[in-house]
Amino acid sequence: MSQTQDITVTINGETIHATVPVRQNLADFLRNGQGLTGTHVGCEHGVCGACTLLMDDQTVRSCLTLAVQADGASITTIEGLGARPDTKALKAAFTNRNALQCGYCTPGMLASALEYIESGAPADRTAIREHLSGNYCRCTGYQSIVDAVCETIEGRQS
Amino acid sequence: MKAQDFRYERPSTMDEALAILADTDQEAQPLAGGQSLMPMMNFRLAAPDVLVDLGGVPELSGICEDNGEIVIGAMTRYRDLMASEMVARDVPLLAAALPHIAHPAIRNRGTLGGSLALSDPAAESPAVLLALGGSVDLRSASGQRSVAADEFFFGLYETARQPEELITAVRLPKAAPGHRFGFYEITRRHGDYAMIGVAVAQAPDWRIAFFSVAGTPLRATDAEAVLNADASDIDAAVAALASLEIDGDRHGDPAMKRHLAGVALRRAIGGMS
Ligand SMILES: Cc1cc2nc3c(=O)[nH]c(=O)nc-3n(C[C@H](O)[C@H](O)[C@H](O)COP(=O)(O)OP(=O)(O)OC[C@H]3O[C@@H](n4cnc5c(N)ncnc54)[C@H](O)[C@@H]3O)c2cc1C
Ligand code: FES
Ligand code: FES
């Protein structure tokens, strides 16, 4: 039997109490325990970026974070990203630019892109590439993703 | 794969953390950013009985100045080091290395202490510590000590730290006017562990530390001697890398890596400021 612990965590604005196995990672807790399957799991060792989400407004790998470590924290998954001001424009830009195909990388990609956009950083392609360097996309070749982030930032300024 | 089961402890003071590590009945391992330990646990390369999450110990984080040194708490995250004006101004070599470490989401969690405790041969921060001639503060339930960079790295993933000791802080000498620093690494993709890299300090004596060359970061003492005699003789400094004991790895054989070491050294020196 796994050892367990009680946690209190705010997920997409809603505070919940849960009992979790201490060895369970945050991605599995959200997907299996909370039915929030928008967080994708690829490699489970921090490399692919598919499981990236926002914890206290910073991107983290949910496969490298234990659910117990999220005790007291505020988590935003892809299901809750819509509540943030830039998300609508970013999603529209992703659609316009064909910045997704299979969509596997997209939840993590959007979290990283939003962290960049919300920081107020400029529409600089090199800096955007660097910020998204930890998110793998096997479909798009990245150009369209960088285009979409630039478009969102430019729209924000105008 | 998933991590094996363990007991989870989240102490709120350093003394509590040290007391758990001092109990040798069970294997306890500190958890810092988890950006290396969690993958190792998911692969079952690590399976501690007790995981001691240091995230609740505020004494372990923060950056301050003490007697000409910049003292960085072990749990200080890369993200906070990158945002620190003191680091940018007083430890420019570390500031130059930070953007090369992994990716933003990893830097939001990963810590300087965790990186030095792990001491991955391809990691940037051990080489920065060595090039600056800094030191590492260690503490156990029975005492504390400080170990100089030159005595800290023992072998592949092996350091002077004992299992019951925590790294509490890292001390790096403050840059003075006239000191110059350079950093260069060669990677296949941005944020990957380097194929080879070098951290260089002229403060005012030269110290050159390569990483991703062997089990530990290595000082190029012959090249340092050349530059101490004549700082403009870069060709001779590169030639002096012939004495460096470089291992081959999946990136290339020793001859190719020695060639890349020369390229990296020239570029690091060329970019010094
Ligand atoms: C995709 C990816 C890419 C990466 N790329 C790079 C890279 O390019 N360069 C690089 O340097 N790193 C890279 N890393 C590793 C990252 O920088 C890690 O954060 C770092 O090596 C370890 O720091 P941590 O705080 O996460 O430590 P943890 O993973 O929590 O711990 C690492 C080890 O140190 C021990 N430990 C931690 N803190 C202490 C302490 N205070 N006292 C004693 N022991 C302690 C732990 O018990 C464990 O054995 C990468 C990681 C990932 C997932
Ligand atoms: S599943 Fe977390 S980074 Fe790949
Ligand atoms: S859209 Fe398929 S991996 Fe990015």
Side-chain angles (χ1 to χ4, degrees), chain A residues 99-106 109 136-140 145:
Chain A
L100 70 156
Q101 289 176 30
C102 79
Y104 204 81
C105 69
T106 313
M109 200 63 90
Y136 286 8
C137 176
R138 298 285 85 150
C139 301
T140 64
I145 295 176

Side-chain angles (χ1 to χ4, degrees), chain B residues 11 19 41 62 77 80-81 87 118 125 132 160 198 206 224 228 236 241-242 254 258 262 265:
Chain B
M41 288 173 65
R77 301 188 196 273
D80 299 319
L81 292 170
V87 169
L118 181 70
S125 27
L132 290 176
V198 65
W206 288 79
E224 291 172 6
N228 280 330
L241 298 180
R258 197 178 309 283
L265 182 60

Side-chain angles (χ1 to χ4, degrees), chain B residues 25-202:
Chain B
D25 287 348
Q26 289 192 305
E27 190 210 329
Q29 230 177 312
L31 174 68
Q35 303 301 294
S36 297
L37 184 53
M38 286 312 305
M40 291 192 292
M41 288 173 65
N42 288 351
F43 281 132
R44 307 231 169 163
L45 296 170
D49 301 318
V50 185
L51 197 60
V52 190
D53 185 350
L54 302 177
V57 184
E59 316 150 67
L60 286 171
S61 299
I63 309 167
C64 66
E65 189 181 335
D66 174 35
N67 213 358
E69 290 179 316
I70 302 303
V71 185
I72 299 171
M75 280 297 289
T76 311
R77 301 188 196 273
Y78 295 126
R79 175 198 178 91
D80 299 319
L81 292 170
M82 285 178 85
S84 160
E85 281 174 27
M86 197 188 276
V87 169
R89 184 184 60 233
D90 296 333
V91 208
L93 184 59
L94 179 59
L98 287 166
H100 297 277
I101 302 175
H103 315 283
I106 312 284
R107 294 197 296 260
N108 282 345
R109 304 292 297 166
T111 67
L112 186 60
S115 172
L116 293 173
L118 181 70
S119 182
D120 189 292
E124 289 81 359
S125 27
V128 168
L129 175 78
L130 192 58
L132 290 176
S135 57
V136 178
D137 286 356
L138 296 166
R139 193 160 173 162
S140 70
S142 54
Q144 62 186 70
R145 61 190 178 125
S146 196
V147 178
D150 284 306
E151 273 94 55
F152 187 72
F153 303 104
F154 275 29
L156 191 62
Y157 301 110
E158 245 184 280
T159 69
R161 183 183 80 87
Q162 297 301 307
E164 71 281 8
E165 283 179 314
L166 276 184
I167 295 180
T168 56
V170 182
R171 294 174 178 271
L172 301 172
K174 194 177 155 177
H179 290 181
R180 299 192 318 140
F181 304 93
F183 184 89
Y184 197 85
E185 70 173 45
I186 298 171
T187 51
R188 289 188 191 273
R189 287 177 303 254
H190 179 85
D192 277 6
Y193 277 112
M195 296 169 73
I196 200 145
V198 65
V200 183
Q202 185 187 13

Side-chain angles (χ1 to χ4, degrees), chain A residues 119-141:
Chain A
S119 75
D124 172 315
R125 297 187 76 88
T126 310
I128 292 169
R129 278 185 174 276
E130 224 162 89
H131 199 86
L132 300 180
S133 65
N135 291 78
Y136 286 8
C137 176
R138 298 285 85 150
C139 301
T140 64

